[in-house]
């Protein structure tokens, strides 16, 4: 939700996003807009709290819930479905299934601390026909990328487990936009997720301050701010340490 305001304020190419803080405003919007739309909660990773609202009726149900009992921060049925999907692909274990079943009854500590998500409703324009998203991470003056293929019969890529790494797979316009936006945000480390609109223009769906480190170990290289490619494996968190050490050394010189 905060990203909507932050990215709009600096004119970043964010997918059009609307947020409402009252049932009345949300209903008014639902009546006057086109569907499908993407629904998101403020928290969540790996697509866990991202859903497609196909019709006005779907949206109304969600609006009622958002301004009624609210949504759990942890989607227990969604998680079970996801663990079963990964199990079928050989990417999850029976232990994970048991854990997920247990969580149907015993909520997670995370969900308990976060409490219910309510009092707001966020809609994002649905950008159709994307078979993947592009994730770019910028750390200082370096950027690296992965391509994540969507799940079968689904529009969501993040958390799918289908990751590609070849440099040729990455649209360098995303790298350029990421460097520009990172500079405007004055961020030392930021991750961007992109989808592509009908005219094949990249649009940001969200940004992140953190990421799963291991996923990026196979990256074959990185770009610098001039978009020169530096071939070779790297451990991305070392970039963060390097930047901290360098800035301390700079500070000592002055
Ligand atoms: N507005 C959108 N239009 C089309 N696809 C989207 C849109 N927003 C998200 N997605 C897809 O859903 C996935 C998860 O959305 P995202 O906002 O990145 O949430 P998460 O924090 O769970 O990664 C993305 O990886 C992308 O494939
Ligand atoms: Mg994401």
């Amino acid at each position: 939700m905060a990203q909507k305001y932050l990215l709009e304020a600096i004119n970043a190419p964010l997918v059009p996003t609307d947020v409402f803080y009252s049932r009345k405003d949300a209903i008014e919007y639902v009546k006057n807009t086109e569907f499908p739309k993407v629904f998101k909660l403020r928290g969540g990773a790996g697509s866990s709290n991202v859903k497609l609202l196909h019709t006005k009726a779907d949206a109304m149900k969600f609006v009622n819930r958002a301004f009624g009992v609210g949504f759990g921060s942890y989607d227990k049925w969604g998680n079970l479905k996801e663990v079963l999907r990964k199990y079928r692909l050989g990417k999850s274990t029976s232990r994970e299934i048991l854990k997920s079943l247990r969580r149907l009854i015993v909520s997670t500590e995370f969900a308990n601390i976060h409490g219910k998500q309510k009092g707001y409703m966020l809609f994002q324009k649905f950008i159709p026909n994307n078979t993947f998203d592009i994730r770019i991470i910028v750390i200082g003056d370096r950027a690296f990328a992965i391509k994540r293929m969507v799940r079968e019969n689904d529009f969501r890529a993040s958390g799918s487990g289908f990751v590609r790494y070849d440099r040729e797979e990455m649209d360098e316009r995303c790298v350029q936009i990421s460097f520009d936006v990172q500079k405007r945000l004055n961020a030392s480390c930021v991750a961007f997720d992109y989808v592509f609109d009908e005219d094949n223009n990249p649009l940001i769906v969200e940004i992140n301050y953190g990421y799963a480190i291991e996923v990026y170990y196979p990256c074959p290289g990185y770009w610098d701010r001039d978009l020169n490619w530096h071939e070779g494996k790297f451990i991305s968190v070392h970039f963060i340490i390097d930047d901290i050490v360098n800035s301390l050394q700079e500070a000592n010189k002055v």
Side-chain angles (χ1 to χ4, degrees):
M1 215 151 68
Q3 291 177 21
K4 166 190 157 59
Y5 300 105
L6 178 66
L7 295 175
E8 281 179 1
I10 60 166
N11 276 324
L14 173 69
V15 173
T17 305
D18 291 292
V19 184
F20 301 96
Y21 302 96
S22 78
R23 184 194 295 265
K24 187 172 156 278
D25 291 347
I27 290 176
E28 196 57 31
Y29 171 84
V30 170
K31 279 187 186 154
N32 296 305
T33 195
E34 303 276 302
F35 284 85
K37 281 275 183 312
V38 178
F39 163 86
K40 298 184 180 185
L41 290 179
R42 282 191 294 169
S47 300
S48 61
N49 287 329
V50 175
K51 301 203 163 70
L52 198 59
L53 304 177
H54 295 272
T55 62
K56 283 187 201 289
D58 282 349
M60 283 304 195
K61 269 189 222 149
F62 275 68
V63 169
N64 278 329
R65 181 125 186 231
F67 297 100
V69 291
F71 302 93
S73 298
Y74 171 72
D75 177 4
K76 49 192 179 185
W77 292 105
N79 179 273
L80 180 60
K81 205 175 142 200
E82 185 64 4
V83 170
L84 290 172
R85 182 187 73 84
K86 288 211 160 133
Y87 184 76
R88 281 194 289 269
L89 292 169
K91 292 181 186 218
S92 165
T93 59
S94 44
R95 204 183 132 85
E96 287 297 321
I97 296 179
L98 285 175
K99 246 166 75 185
S100 186
L101 285 169
R102 184 170 178 271
R103 286 182 184 161
L104 293 177
I105 306 156
V106 189
S107 183
T108 62
E109 198 185 341
F110 171 85
N112 288 340
I113 291 170
H114 281 259
K116 289 280 183 197
Q117 296 281 323
K118 57 193 282 186
Y120 71 91
M121 188 72 198
L122 184 146
F123 298 93
Q124 211 169 50
K125 182 174 179 189
F126 174 54
I127 310 298
N129 306 323
N130 278 270
T131 54
F132 57 84
D133 80 348
I134 296 283
R135 153 61 68 89
I136 308 281
I137 299 182
V138 180
I139 299 176
D141 292 324
R142 320 158 196 82
F144 47 98
I146 58 172
K147 177 188 264 189
R148 301 176 296 194
M149 309 311 291
V150 297
R151 293 162 175 80
E152 205 179 324
N153 301 321
D154 200 318
F155 70 103
R156 299 167 311 162
S158 123
S160 71
F162 309 124
V163 185
R164 299 195 183 170
Y165 293 94
D166 287 348
R167 182 189 171 191
E168 294 69 37
E169 301 254 10
M170 313 305 165
D171 189 321
E172 288 197 353
R173 292 175 301 168
C174 300
V175 180
Q176 184 65 61
I177 296 168
S178 301
F179 272 126
D180 292 346
V181 175
Q182 174 242 9
K183 202 166 185 181
R184 277 184 273 160
L185 291 173
N186 200 15
S188 48
C189 170
V190 55
F192 300 84
D193 295 347
Y194 293 90
V195 295
F196 296 82
D197 71 11
E198 290 83 349
D199 303 318
N200 198 31
N201 291 315
L203 291 173
I204 298 172
V205 293
E206 68 147 352
I207 59 174
N208 281 281
Y209 59 83
Y211 59 93
I213 301 163
E214 344 47 88
V215 176
Y216 300 84
Y217 288 158
C219 284
Y222 68 89
W223 293 267
D224 62 28
R225 198 170 278 282
D226 299 320
L227 297 201
N228 297 312
W229 176 254
H230 298 257
E231 183 82 22
K233 292 274 172 64
F234 56 88
I235 295 178
S236 63
V237 290
H238 292 179
F239 293 156
I240 300 178
I241 307 294
D242 288 343
D243 285 353
I244 293 170
V245 171
N246 284 337
S247 66
L248 289 174
Q249 281 173 341
E250 284 298 313
N252 276 343
K253 266 190 223 151
V254 185

